[in-house]
């Protein structure tokens, strides 16, 4: 039979068969008068090759697997190689399972909430509820930037579980108190210039203290663990990300004060 017939019978392509020829996996038939004739032996070997490859066996391992094991050592090599292939397949299944779960979660969030985000649902819920309220433009922008900063951290797997725990505990009544903390920050942001006098810095510090007290009422243990994490995160890279996210000096001062309080509450 011709090469195209061999390809059709084996469910592969002429290009693949020629590639196997180049690798030495499949013998090239002797030349006929005008074309090469493939026989039953070529078909059976090709089917075995395809069966192994489709099972996940690397092409480099195919040749010795096609040879009948002549002694226990050769049989042991085949078993070892197949065990390695099986482990590789298990790893791929684990990765695909994780990816599928993520895509399912993202699909559900887009269908339900219209936003594609890796953030945990409690975080999405709280920010969505806050941003649905009538907010001054500057306050809305700062709130969105904070959510986006958390999203960036989420891409790197750096959103602490305590954030989810705290926001999951936020009720409708708590949303009003949380909004009042944002309003206090926003008022200072719009009434303060680039240079903040000492009294304004103290007011920012008071808002920070109120924020920590609010979190502690939701879950004191999660708040303490989060403060410990914040103390560890006080480094140049994090400060640079904060400065990019918050152009307002008031919001930057809020973060700095929060980290200072974290170091005080949770010394190393």
């Amino acid at each position: 039979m011709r090469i195209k017939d061999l390809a059709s019978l084996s469910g592969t392509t002429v290009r693949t068969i020629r590639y196997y020829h180049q690798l030495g996996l499949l013998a090239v038939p002797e030349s006929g008068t005008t074309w090469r004739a493939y026989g039953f032996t070529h078909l059976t070997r090709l089917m075995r090759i395809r069966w192994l490859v489709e099972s996940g066996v690397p092409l480099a391992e195919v040749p010795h697997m096609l040879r009948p094991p002549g002694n226990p050592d050769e049989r042991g090599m085949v078993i070892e190689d197949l065990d390695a292939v099986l482990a590789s397949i298990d790893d791929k299944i684990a990765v695909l399972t994780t990816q599928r779960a993520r895509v399912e979660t993202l699909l559900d969030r887009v269908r339900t909430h219209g936003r594609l985000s890796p953030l945990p649902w409690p975080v999405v819920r709280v920010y969505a509820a806050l941003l649905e309220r009538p907010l001054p433009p500057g306050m809305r922008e700062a709130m969105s930037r904070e959510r986006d900063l958390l999203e960036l951290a989420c891409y790197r797997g750096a959103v602490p579980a305590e954030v989810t725990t705290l926001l999951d505990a936020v009720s409708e009544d708590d949303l009003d108190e949380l909004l009042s903390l944002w309003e206090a920050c926003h008022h200072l942001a719009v009434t303060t210039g680039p240079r903040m006098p000492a009294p304004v810095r103290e007011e920012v510090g008071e808002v920070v203290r109120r924020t920590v007290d609010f979190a502690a009422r939701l879950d004191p243990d999660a708040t303490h663990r989060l403060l410990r994490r914040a103390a560890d995160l006080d480094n140049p890279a994090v400060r640079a990300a904060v400065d990019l996210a918050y152009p307002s000096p008031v919001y930057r001062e809020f973060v700095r004060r929060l980290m200072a309080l974290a170091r005080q509450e949770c010394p190393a």
Side-chain angles (χ1 to χ4, degrees):
M1 65 183 135
R2 299 174 185 269
I3 191 170
K4 65 178 182 180
D5 299 320
L6 179 65
S8 178
L9 282 172
S10 61
T12 187
T13 64
V14 170
R15 183 176 181 180
T16 298
I17 292 172
R18 287 176 174 155
Y19 181 55
Y20 290 164
H21 286 328
Q22 293 175 9
L23 295 177
L25 291 174
L26 187 65
V28 178
E30 295 180 1
S31 299
T33 53
T34 58
W35 48 274
R36 295 184 184 276
Y38 290 85
F40 185 71
T41 301
H42 294 97
L43 177 61
T44 55
R45 185 174 177 88
L46 179 57
M47 292 297 288
R48 289 190 182 105
I49 294 170
R50 297 301 301 157
W51 176 60
L52 289 171
V53 170
E54 290 172 1
S55 297
V57 176
L59 282 172
E61 306 297 334
V62 168
H64 78 268
M65 289 191 182
L66 289 174
R67 291 192 300 269
N71 56 60
D73 289 340
E74 292 179 351
R75 189 180 305 116
M77 288 177 58
V78 172
I79 291 173
E80 185 178 332
D81 288 340
L82 289 175
D83 279 339
V85 171
L86 192 60
S88 174
I89 291 172
D90 287 340
D91 289 342
K92 291 175 183 176
I93 289 173
V95 170
L96 289 172
T97 300
T98 300
Q99 290 176 340
R100 192 181 194 286
R102 287 181 180 177
V103 172
E104 280 186 334
T105 299
L106 294 175
L107 182 61
D108 178 67
R109 288 176 184 173
V110 173
R111 283 174 172 166
T112 308
H113 309 289
R115 178 172 173 78
L116 184 65
S117 172
L119 288 168
W121 164 238
V123 181
V124 174
R125 175 185 70 85
V126 169
Y127 279 98
L130 291 173
L131 290 168
E132 283 176 357
R133 302 198 177 196
L135 304 173
M139 183 173 166
R140 180 179 298 278
E141 181 183 358
M143 198 176 289
S144 297
R145 283 175 176 269
E146 181 176 276
R147 179 197 59 196
D148 292 345
L149 190 61
L150 280 173
E151 189 168 295
L152 288 175
C154 195
Y155 288 130
R156 301 190 61 182
V159 174
E162 291 79 11
V163 172
T164 303
T165 299
L166 288 173
L167 293 184
D168 196 29
V170 172
S171 67
E172 286 298 320
D173 292 338
D174 294 327
L175 283 173
D176 293 333
E177 185 173 355
L178 187 56
L179 188 62
S180 73
L181 293 170
W182 271 100
E183 288 172 341
C185 257
H186 179 67
H187 173 73
L188 291 172
V190 297
T191 57
T192 304
R195 289 189 172 184
M196 288 188 296
V200 174
R201 293 181 186 275
E202 291 306 314
E203 288 187 64
V204 173
E206 178 58 27
V207 177
V208 168
R209 174 55 68 181
R210 286 174 52 198
T211 302
V212 172
D213 289 344
F214 169 72
R217 287 196 298 274
L218 293 175
D219 191 316
D221 291 336
T223 300
H224 180 77
R225 292 195 302 271
L226 196 57
L227 285 173
R228 184 174 295 280
R229 283 177 174 269
D232 295 337
L233 287 175
D234 189 11
N235 59 63
V238 172
R239 287 194 292 272
V242 169
D243 289 347
L244 285 173
Y246 299 113
S248 166
V250 168
Y251 289 110
R252 293 180 183 181
E253 178 69 13
F254 180 94
V255 175
R256 281 192 287 269
R257 289 269 180 163
L258 181 60
M259 289 186 172
L261 179 63
R263 290 194 302 273
Q264 177 183 337
E265 297 281 338
C266 305

